[in-house]
Amino acid sequence: MSAGRGRAAGVGPSGAAPAVFGPTLGRGFFDRHPAEVARDLLGRCLFSAVGPEPVVVRLTEVEAYAGEVDPASHAFRGPTVRNEVMFGEGGHLYRYFIYGMYWCANVVTGPAGTAGGVLLRAGEVVAGHELARLRRPSARKESDLAAGPAKLTAALGWNAVDSGPRSGEDLCSTTGPARLLAGTPVAPEQVVAGPRVGVAAAKEVPWRFWVDGDPTVSTYRRHVPKKTPGRGVD
DNA sequence: CCGCCGATCCTCT
DNA sequence: GAGGATCGGCGGG
């Protein structure tokens, strides 16, 4: 059982909100450069109202993507059907399907018109462990429940199988299926920065941020170019 | 611990 | 057509 940590700090923006887990982040939080937002997201909490009980994950690893000026960003070549929400108002969810079987989640940053985003890479499950374990049967340790972008969305139920929140969902909402809670920011001296995982372009840009020494941070993998299809031809 | 490999299908050129 | 902001399993040092 263990239903989360008691401590219902006052909170309660105006009216709604289940105060147990604290308030959601305000819109203004996301109106900054993605790298700045990314750093500030460590220690904050993702709240999922998908399924029979809530699941809450405390963020320990994130990556910033700077839209049109960042060759590693999905928005680098301009708006498309998939990435259009990245060009909209900050604080919304950008969810995408990858490798034919996984889902990853981003928080959109900046004002409408710019295309920043922060990939939610990993975190620590702080509530709803039971449900998270059911959704992540291959995880052997607690620390591996959300130790990767696709693992994190799976633990939260933010995928198609669980009818999770789609791109465009407002994470500032106090009633929606996907929310971003204020939590407790991580002290600057505990934040480490390094190159982003698995990206082919701009591989040296240090826009991956994580909590120093935290066991829930995913292991780094460099980009592996696809196998050359042996030149059959002739 | 590290590296390689296959799975699987949507998206953009 | 080709490749991808991944994961998990397997084999070697």
Side-chain angles (χ1 to χ4, degrees):
Chain A
M1 322 288 209
S2 80
R5 1 199 108 196
R7 191 151 302 255
V11 293
S14 47
V20 209
F21 297 106
T24 59
L25 289 170
R27 187 78 56 199
F29 181 92
F30 306 96
D31 199 5
R32 294 175 282 168
H33 187 279
E36 223 179 303
V37 174
R39 277 181 172 278
D40 202 0
L41 276 173
L42 295 175
R44 314 294 188 163
C45 292
L46 296 171
F47 177 97
S48 171
V50 177
E53 65 172 324
V55 170
V56 178
V57 171
R58 173 180 169 267
L59 287 170
T60 57
E61 182 191 358
V62 294
E63 281 177 359
Y65 288 87
E68 301 121 299
V69 297
D70 179 3
S73 171
H74 285 177
F76 183 55
R77 299 184 185 265
T80 65
V81 177
R82 179 176 69 162
N83 71 19
E84 74 172 296
V85 331
M86 287 189 78
F87 290 81
E89 180 185 54
H92 292 260
L93 179 71
Y94 164 50
R95 191 184 76 158
Y96 67 92
F97 187 57
I98 188 93
Y99 293 116
M101 57 193 113
Y102 299 117
W103 293 88
C104 294
N106 288 242
V107 175
V108 174
T109 68
T114 66
V118 176
L119 172 65
L120 308 172
R121 282 201 59 91
E124 169 196 7
V125 174
V126 296
H129 301 79
E130 253 184 64
L131 183 52
R133 274 194 291 269
L134 286 176
R135 289 168 169 163
R136 290 268 307 122
S138 63
R140 297 187 176 187
K141 304 177 296 183
E142 283 292 302
S143 60
D144 193 43
L145 286 173
K151 296 175 181 176
L152 179 144
T153 55
L156 292 167
W158 288 4
N159 50 39
V161 188
D162 296 296
S163 300
R166 323 251 241 102
S167 270
E169 191 69 46
D170 185 5
L171 299 173
C172 296
S173 163
T174 55
T175 56
R179 308 172 208 169
L180 196 32
L181 311 179
T184 306
V186 168
E189 55 270 24
Q190 302 210 102
V191 177
V192 191
R196 295 169 289 186
V197 176
V199 300
K203 53 183 65 176
E204 74 289 352
V205 178
W207 282 353
R208 173 190 185 216
F209 304 98
W210 67 95
V211 178
D212 195 15
D214 193 293
T216 64
V217 172
S218 75
T219 54
Y220 179 80
R221 299 195 193 200
R222 73 172 207 292
H223 172 73
V224 183
K226 205 111 192 196
K227 176 174 68 172
T228 50
R231 60 203 72 177
V233 195
D234 78 289

